[in-house]
Amino acid sequence: MPSLFTPVTLRSLTIPNRIWMAAMCQYSAEPEGETTGAPTDWHFAHLAARASGGTGLIVTEATAVSPEGRISPYDLGIWNDAQVTAFQRVTAFLKSQGTVPAIQLGHAGRKASTERTWVDGGRPIAPDEPYGWTPLAPSAIPFGPASTTPEELTAERIRAIVQEFADAARRALQAGFEVAELHGAHGYLIHQFLSPHSNHRTDAYGGSFEGRTRFALEVVDAVRAVWPEESPLFFRVSATDWLTENPEDDRDGWTADDTVRFAKELHARGVDLMDVSTGGIAPGAKIVTGPHYQVPFAERVRNEAGMPAATVGMITDPAQAQQVITAGQADAVLLGRELLRDPFWARRAAKELGGQVGTPVQYHRA
């Protein structure tokens, strides 16, 4: 069996293959009313199709731990019981197809209160506009020139957000999720604390590496305390901020060396896998893209920190994905846009490489 199609076990959970779906916002939840932030028929159909296609694990889009933690008013959330009930329908179907349901818990921080990506390019929504609010951040530094200046978080409010992550994890468990992933990447709140580019604090939550990682580690500890011992916890990281052409010389931001050091701490605190991406902290960062461009960062986490890692980004071909796993560069491959283009990518990959994935009985004649 090609390694891409072999199971992987983390704690007491066995994931049937190494083809996973990355979190991708759909901006399709209701922005107000009793069903605000709850998954709709669109979310069900979107996620169910990829489960029917043989994907081993599916991560929901960034799901906010509070209303002001949403990227847009149209994001999913898990801060109330109505959202929990709506998610139960989704997780039950994913499990029925042999797919592991995972939830990405996040807070947008200074990148909150924006339009949908297809409306004015996802522009910021001002606090005095309909559905707008004032974003929160470690420091009162806007993301870009057109962005609202965020409110700098007090230590008390930071502690409250840590609790919101823990409460969201409890609800995620009630909703039927088997994996929780903390979103510490792409310039959102946890990442904003990690990076010296966005964190100019001088208190216990800023300055040194220890200070800038404090919030993230407090969130990990709070979530791990309520998440079952037998269930895996993931952490998504931006392994470099790409603030210079050489990511190893990322002096004004978070670096690949920082990521390896941080991964060791996360693993010691009960994080089971690092979902390795890059970028997102600064709109002017020079990101050098191409096939496999983020794989070396996952490989460093896996081999230098001794922590399971998944990779993502411009992996489109089954042979490409198989190569990553066989070479020991990552333990799993997360697909994003390619699964939007082809929900049955896993089945096609199995056919091309001689592997096997779960197939609904209704499709056995195909």
Side-chain angles (χ1 to χ4, degrees):
M1 180 74 69
S3 54
L4 187 62
F5 306 97
T6 58
V8 57
T9 299
L10 297 168
R11 295 190 183 249
S12 297
L13 179 70
T14 298
I15 304 165
N17 60 55
R18 315 298 180 103
I19 302 167
W20 301 353
M21 178 174 167
M24 291 176 283
C25 288
Q26 298 296 294
Y27 305 108
S28 298
E30 294 296 329
E32 62 180 356
E34 294 181 1
T35 59
T36 300
T40 65
D41 286 348
W42 171 263
H43 299 93
F44 180 87
H46 165 65
L47 298 171
R50 279 78 196 166
S52 300
T55 307
L57 176 143
I58 289 177
V59 187
T60 61
E61 64 186 75
T63 303
V65 300
S66 66
E68 64 270 21
R70 293 172 293 173
I71 303 166
S72 86
Y74 306 92
D75 284 0
L76 293 181
I78 192 155
W79 64 80
N80 65 41
D81 292 341
Q83 294 158 348
V84 169
T85 300
F87 269 120
Q88 287 171 343
R89 177 188 177 213
V90 175
T91 58
F93 184 83
L94 267 55
K95 291 176 185 177
S96 77
Q97 302 306 301
T99 296
V100 172
I103 186 169
Q104 186 183 81
L105 302 175
H107 191 299
R110 70 177 186 171
K111 293 178 81 172
S113 191
T114 64
E115 257 295 358
R116 292 159 290 186
T117 55
W118 57 85
V119 178
D120 297 332
R123 67 170 179 83
I125 302 174
D128 59 353
E129 290 186 75
Y131 303 141
W133 65 92
T134 300
L136 305 170
S139 302
I141 305 169
F143 174 65
S147 301
T148 301
T149 298
E151 176 185 339
E152 183 169 312
L153 288 161
T154 64
E156 181 181 7
R157 188 70 185 90
I158 290 170
R159 289 191 290 272
I161 293 175
V162 171
Q163 185 60 49
E164 287 170 352
F165 271 95
D167 292 342
R170 286 194 190 93
R171 291 192 178 94
L173 187 63
Q174 295 169 7
F177 288 99
E178 297 179 297
V179 172
E181 174 173 278
L182 299 175
H183 196 356
H186 300 165
Y188 298 117
L189 185 63
I190 294 177
H191 186 189
Q192 289 162 30
F193 273 93
L194 295 176
S195 176
H197 177 78
S198 49
N199 184 348
H200 294 186
R201 300 177 73 97
T202 57
D203 65 358
Y205 291 96
S208 65
F209 176 88
E210 290 78 12
R212 287 182 286 106
T213 58
R214 186 182 306 277
F215 173 66
L217 295 177
E218 288 181 355
V219 170
V220 167
D221 289 346
V223 170
R224 188 72 266 181
V226 301
W227 196 245
E229 180 67 24
E230 66 272 14
S231 300
L233 177 63
F234 294 178
F235 190 101
R236 179 162 243 201
V237 70
S238 281
T240 175
D241 285 343
W242 294 105
L243 290 180
T244 68
E245 291 184 3
N246 177 5
E248 298 305 319
D249 189 31
D250 224 2
R251 288 166 293 184
D252 296 325
W254 183 259
T255 72
D257 287 341
D258 289 333
T259 296
V260 172
R261 179 181 175 185
F262 186 46
K264 293 175 183 178
E265 293 199 31
L266 291 176
H267 202 30
R269 288 172 180 259
V271 175
D272 301 287
L273 178 138
M274 185 168 273
D275 172 0
V276 184
S277 187
T278 63
I281 199 69
K286 298 178 181 178
I287 302 176
V288 182
T289 64
H292 285 207
Y293 79 105
Q294 294 181 143
V295 172
F297 299 104
E299 185 176 15
R300 286 197 62 185
V301 167
R302 189 175 190 270
N303 296 332
E304 294 179 36
M307 182 181 191
T311 189
V312 65
M314 298 185 74
I315 296 171
T316 60
D317 182 75
Q320 201 185 351
Q322 169 68 10
Q323 177 189 341
V324 169
I325 303 301
T326 302
Q329 295 175 294
D331 297 277
V333 171
L334 286 149
L335 302 180
R337 290 176 177 85
E338 190 61 20
L339 273 174
L340 296 184
R341 291 185 282 263
D342 181 5
F344 293 91
W345 191 94
R347 290 186 64 196
R348 176 167 63 84
K351 185 176 181 179
E352 290 183 17
L353 299 177
Q356 187 174 351
V357 297
T359 304
V361 294
Q362 294 90 335
Y363 294 168
H364 280 182
R365 75 195 78 177

